Amino acid sequence: MPTLSFASDVPEYKIKASFIYNFARFTQWPDDNNELRICIFGKDPFGFHADDLNGKKINNKTIKVVRTRLIDEVKSCNIVFLNIIPPERHLFERALNKIKGGNILTIADADNVVSFGVMIGLIIEDNKIGFKINNTAIQASDLKISSQLLSLAKEVI
Amino acid sequence: MGFTHTNKFLSRLSIQNKLIVINLSVTSVALLFAVIMAVAGEYISKRDFIMGSLEVQTKMVGRNTTAALVFNDRDGAEKVLQAFSASPNVLTAIIYNEAGDIFASYIKDDNTVDAKAAGKLDVFDGTKITKAHQHQGSTVLDDKIHITQTINFEDRPIGSLFLQADISNLYDDILNYLVYTASVALLGLAIATLLLLQLRKSITYPLKKLTELMISVTKDNDYSIRVDNTNDDEIGVLSQGFNKMLAHIQSNDEKLAHELSERYRAEEHLDKLAYYDVTTNLPNRHSFHKQLDDAVERAITTKQKMVLLFLDLDNFKTVNDTAGHATGDLLLKQASSRLSNVLRQNDYIYRIGGDEFAIIIENMNDINAVSIITNKCIESLSNPFIFDGKNFFIGVSIGISICPDDAITADELLIKADMAMYEAKIRGKNSFQYFDQEMNELHSHKYQLESDLRHAIKEDHMELYYQPQVNPADGSLTGVEALMRWNHPEKGIILPNDFIPIAEETGLILPLGKWLIDTACQQGKQLIESGLHDITIAINISAVQIREHTFIDNITCALKASGLKPESLEIELTESVLMNDSELVVQKISQLRALGIHIAIDDFGTGFSSMNYLKSFPVSKLKIDRSFISGLPTGTEDAAIVQAIIVMAHGLNISVIAEGVERKDQVEILCDYNCDTFQGYYYAKPMKFSDILDLNYPKKSTNN
């Protein structure tokens, strides 16, 4: 079956950066800002692959990639990639609790992160990158994601 | 051509079959059209529905694969494409990416036809697909639909979806639908036919009845039949018209039948009149001639003797003249009855003239028996006839001729019987006489005379003599009486008394009378033009003449041809003519008088004592019979009668002329009696026309 292959020549976080970009394309935020802030919380795994997103436009919103280690700074972001190490439940729950109600699309790539309350969790399955969605968390916010995302997700909780 | 065949075919059918054929044809065409339209409509709507729904599906699926394309998730895309498994029509669905490469595909499980075949390879060919997604849209190829849908994301094409669907089931559906609608149509047709068979009765039943009736009328000629149809449609109107026509024919038929029966009765009546005598109810002269011819023929062929009796009543004329016609008729009737009673069954009696009868006796070989029969006839009439208590005596003279002894033709037989009858009369009445050859010679004189008379009329041997009528006061001429003379080349001049009876008997009186009228008018006119302006030309007319239907025309023609004024013509009739109570004679005399012609009564005083009739006829002159004048002046009775006649006539404003005046004393006494005019040898004998022109009578005016 033809599918997206996790080719060795494409770096993992280049793909993940494009995933984040694509998630943004299938998500609607309730605000009218012309800036779409993508925050990378914690240690930056993307490097310049994240910078490639800077300046790209989605529905008249210009992407701005922000890197931060302070959870409070995350509150002004539209998307946050939570790179919490070690990836334990209570750490994610505390961070998520801090930014609760901010209409921020939360993404992480640690195991089981959607069960910790993260909205989208990137996974590697059969040597391919895929994702899981915590629809309960998304529905608790004012964000709207395309149903196509739900259908592409490996798992929806 | 086909149409002509159809028309020929139709014209051979009865109306009800025509109606069925026409109705079924029309219904079939309509139903066929309806079926075609319904199926076509069904096809179009079904196809459009399938196309529409597939296009919508394609759009939706295309849109749902945007994320898969964006995420380059082939599994995701194929998962989305699996949605087509719910659409049995979709055989293949392929998603191409932006570059035109196959990104994901769906192939129906049981698609054995096209999926792995050339079509699949074709659609998998990348270059073709690039082209395909530039031409977004739908195409129908046979039983396949190809739909290409561009997949856009963020207003930019990111791929395309190609769909191949099988719509062969659409054709199956349409076929089923066709079968269904055709069945419905056929059912409709069947119902229409049943309905038609029921309904056509309302049209064809009355027509059929009408036709049957017409055939029955034509066959039986019974016009009393009527159509029972009270509908208001055209057939009803037709039926009413038919009934009216029948009624009309029927009434005409009845009229015709009535007319025919009337005519038949009239003919029967005429026939009876033609062959029977009304007075005596015996077969008449006409019938007699027919029977005589037959009897003669039978006598000759059967070699049996046939006897003809010719009977003439003696004294009948006297009875008729003294007792009147009515009594005469009664007598004839009784005499006929008496004669009939003495005849045998196969002997027949005919009335062939006024008082003449004939009896035909066939198969009579014993001549003595004839004498017996004849004697019986005479005896039967010998007893008196009693009317109103008066006795009338008549006798009969009988002439007998026998076929073939005396003659072998009917005419000759009749002549000889007639001769024998005359002989009987001469030898003494109330007797019979057989014909013998001597008679033939004796009586040939009479027949010679008849033949001579015919000849004389043709050869102009007749001549008119004129006897002056004079006014005694001044001796002037008041008129002339035209008298006929026959210049017989051998016998010399013959007087009317000697030939008029024969002329009347033979009918020669008619041409003779016409000649007299024409000549008298013509010569009378000449006399008047010679200066005798006030004279009248008197002519004698017999009863036979006046009865003739051309009589009035003859008079008016003669007047017109000669130029003689009607006032200058005087017609002398005997009393017996006037006394004949025939309406015809009365009418003709009135017509003559209306023309201005004078009517004079000839031989006045010889016939009847009654003078009442003078009042009812427009008579202008009385001519006192010479027998009275000859007795004057010594005969006192005659004198009294003459005087009485003159007084009475003058009282009725009728002038009186005395004829046969021969002596001066007669003139004198008549002048004393105021007799108006005189005619006789005393004044002048009858003279030739040329002589009377030469007479020098005082003329009242010398001018024309």
Side-chain angles (χ1 to χ4, degrees), chain B residues 396-695:
Chain B
V396 62
S397 300
I398 304 173
I400 304 163
S401 64
I402 299 161
C403 176
D405 299 357
D406 299 326
I408 51 164
T409 67
D411 286 345
E412 211 182 336
L413 204 61
L414 185 57
I415 286 166
K416 287 179 175 172
D418 190 19
M419 284 180 191
M421 187 275 292
Y422 267 104
E423 192 62 27
K425 267 210 197 297
I426 289 162
R427 295 198 183 174
K429 297 173 176 181
N430 227 8
S431 67
F432 66 92
Q433 193 68 47
Y434 285 96
F435 172 79
D436 66 46
Q437 200 52 40
E438 278 175 36
M439 275 178 211
N440 205 12
E441 283 150 23
L442 197 72
H443 286 275
S444 67
H445 155 78
K446 186 184 161 191
Y447 297 99
Q448 186 63 47
L449 200 67
E450 184 187 332
S451 137
D452 288 353
L453 187 58
R454 278 180 210 279
H455 190 68
I457 295 166
K458 271 189 209 160
E459 297 293 316
D460 206 11
H461 290 159
M462 305 309 276
E463 190 183 354
L464 282 188
Y465 275 53
Y466 293 90
Q467 187 171 31
Q469 298 174 337
V470 179
N471 179 351
D474 56 7
S476 66
L477 192 70
T478 60
V480 290
E481 183 184 2
L483 298 159
M484 229 182 311
R485 296 290 182 266
W486 178 3
N487 294 315
H488 196 283
E490 290 155 25
K491 299 173 184 168
I493 289 174
I494 303 176
L495 296 175
N497 285 347
D498 294 327
F499 66 85
I500 289 297
I502 296 171
E504 286 190 326
E505 203 176 305
T506 56
L508 287 169
I509 189 72
L510 296 176
L512 214 53
K514 191 174 184 314
W515 173 84
L516 182 141
I517 293 165
D518 290 343
T519 313
C521 286
Q522 190 195 323
Q523 294 179 342
K525 176 70 179 171
Q526 282 184 50
L527 272 179
I528 286 166
E529 284 188 340
S530 76
L532 301 164
H533 298 289
D534 292 334
I535 65 163
T536 54
I537 318 297
I539 54 173
N540 293 282
I541 297 297
S542 75
V544 179
Q545 267 179 291
I546 202 166
R547 283 197 191 95
E548 197 192 10
H549 68 281
T550 56
F551 175 66
I552 299 287
D553 285 345
N554 289 346
I555 297 280
T556 51
C557 282
L559 289 172
K560 208 175 270 179
S562 62
L564 188 76
K565 288 179 194 163
E567 295 77 27
S568 305
L569 188 66
E570 187 173 274
I571 287 178
E572 291 189 7
L573 301 165
T574 59
E575 280 179 298
S576 62
V577 173
L578 288 180
M579 278 309 288
N580 189 322
D581 53 2
S582 154
E583 272 296 317
L584 188 73
V585 174
V586 175
Q587 193 192 328
K588 284 191 174 174
I589 289 169
S590 300
Q591 274 177 279
L592 289 173
R593 195 67 196 93
L595 286 170
I597 295 165
H598 297 285
I599 306 292
I601 306 300
D602 202 7
D603 304 335
F604 190 78
T606 55
F608 304 92
S609 48
S610 169
M611 289 182 190
N612 280 336
Y613 68 89
L614 285 178
K615 289 178 192 166
S616 47
F617 284 109
V619 172
S620 43
K621 198 186 270 183
L622 289 186
K623 207 168 188 178
I624 301 174
D625 189 67
R626 63 180 69 242
S627 59
F628 293 103
I629 306 302
S630 64
L632 291 180
T634 50
T636 49
E637 200 184 319
D638 288 344
I641 291 169
V642 170
Q643 196 176 11
I645 289 171
I646 292 170
V647 169
M648 179 208 67
H650 285 167
L652 291 169
N653 204 21
I654 296 171
S655 71
V656 180
I657 183 168
E659 63 175 336
V661 178
E662 294 176 350
R663 298 188 311 270
K664 195 172 186 270
D665 55 354
Q666 290 173 333
V667 174
E668 282 166 350
I669 195 165
L670 284 168
C671 281
D672 287 347
Y673 295 154
N674 286 325
C675 184
D676 301 297
T677 38
F678 298 85
Q679 180 182 346
Y681 282 13
Y682 179 76
Y683 291 100
K685 290 180 179 176
M687 58 188 82
K688 283 175 175 282
F689 177 65
S690 52
D691 294 341
I692 202 162
L693 272 177
D694 291 343
L695 275 182

Side-chain angles (χ1 to χ4, degrees), chain B residues 106-125:
Chain B
Y106 159 81
I107 294 165
K108 194 178 178 186
D109 295 341
D110 58 344
N111 184 7
T112 52
V113 190
D114 281 284
K116 59 200 177 209
K120 190 180 169 187
L121 292 172
D122 276 355
V123 296
F124 278 69
D125 179 355

Side-chain angles (χ1 to χ4, degrees), chain A residues 135-146:
Chain A
N135 202 27
T136 315
I138 291 167
Q139 280 173 355
S141 71
D142 288 332
L143 297 173
K144 284 189 174 119
I145 64 162
S146 165

Side-chain angles (χ1 to χ4, degrees), chain B residues 121-355:
Chain B
L121 292 172
D122 276 355
V123 296
F124 278 69
D125 179 355
T127 53
K128 275 214 165 185
I129 297 315
T130 315
K131 211 174 155 193
H133 66 60
Q134 282 166 1
H135 294 91
Q136 171 173 321
S138 313
T139 51
V140 179
L141 297 166
D142 298 333
D143 57 350
K144 302 279 189 294
I145 293 179
H146 290 175
I147 302 172
T148 307
Q149 175 69 47
T150 310
I151 302 169
N152 289 316
F153 186 63
E154 294 171 345
D155 302 327
R156 214 167 48 85
I158 58 166
S160 64
L161 173 60
F162 170 81
L163 192 86
Q164 187 186 43
D166 177 23
I167 54 167
S168 58
N169 65 332
L170 166 65
Y171 293 106
D172 292 343
D173 286 353
I174 291 303
L175 191 65
N176 288 336
Y177 185 72
L178 177 65
V179 169
Y180 170 73
T181 49
S183 307
V184 169
L186 283 173
L187 185 66
L189 196 61
I191 291 167
T193 308
L194 283 175
L195 256 176
L196 192 63
L197 290 173
Q198 289 300 310
L199 289 178
R200 61 147 193 203
K201 281 184 188 165
S202 70
I203 292 173
T204 57
Y205 181 72
L207 268 181
K208 197 166 160 238
K209 291 288 278 183
L210 205 56
T211 312
E212 281 170 1
L213 184 109
M214 192 201 68
I215 289 165
S216 144
V217 166
T218 317
K219 198 172 135 214
D220 304 336
N221 287 329
D222 180 2
Y223 299 111
S224 64
I225 313 173
R226 292 291 178 272
V227 192
D228 180 25
N229 187 337
T230 50
N231 291 356
D232 287 335
D233 60 7
E234 289 89 337
I235 296 167
V237 174
L238 190 64
S239 303
Q240 284 163 23
F242 200 66
N243 280 346
K244 274 185 196 159
M245 199 171 75
L246 280 177
H248 193 65
I249 293 172
Q250 189 186 13
S251 103
N252 278 356
D253 219 37
E254 280 163 4
K255 269 189 221 156
L256 192 66
H258 181 69
E259 208 171 284
L260 281 175
S261 75
E262 283 286 298
R263 192 176 294 175
Y264 178 75
R265 273 168 51 194
E267 272 170 12
E268 209 175 34
H269 185 63
L270 282 177
D271 206 45
K272 201 168 167 159
L273 279 186
Y275 287 95
Y276 282 85
D277 169 54
V278 184
T279 310
T280 60
N281 267 331
L282 292 181
N284 61 12
R285 171 183 280 274
H286 187 64
S287 182
F288 166 69
H289 282 300
K290 258 181 98 157
Q291 291 304 316
L292 186 61
D293 285 342
D294 294 348
V296 166
E297 203 180 306
R298 276 196 294 273
I300 289 164
T301 49
T302 60
K303 297 193 170 140
Q304 298 282 312
K305 285 185 198 293
M306 186 223 100
V307 179
L308 173 63
L309 306 186
F310 194 109
L311 295 81
D312 188 281
L313 299 184
D314 302 327
N315 304 326
F316 174 73
K317 194 176 177 343
T318 316
V319 175
N320 213 19
D321 286 350
T322 54
H325 288 277
T327 307
D329 285 350
L330 275 173
L331 188 144
L332 282 173
K333 213 170 189 167
Q334 287 197 7
S336 304
S337 162
R338 288 190 194 179
L339 288 169
S340 299
N341 286 338
V342 300
L343 294 179
R344 301 171 312 169
Q345 200 177 357
N346 293 320
D347 303 337
Y348 289 98
I349 180 163
Y350 305 84
R351 186 188 178 198
I352 59 172
D355 55 357

Side-chain angles (χ1 to χ4, degrees), chain A residues 42-58:
Chain A
K43 188 179 185 282
D44 179 11
F46 297 94
F48 63 89
H49 294 305
D51 293 329
D52 288 347
L53 299 179
N54 250 335
K56 281 196 175 181
K57 287 202 168 181
I58 299 169

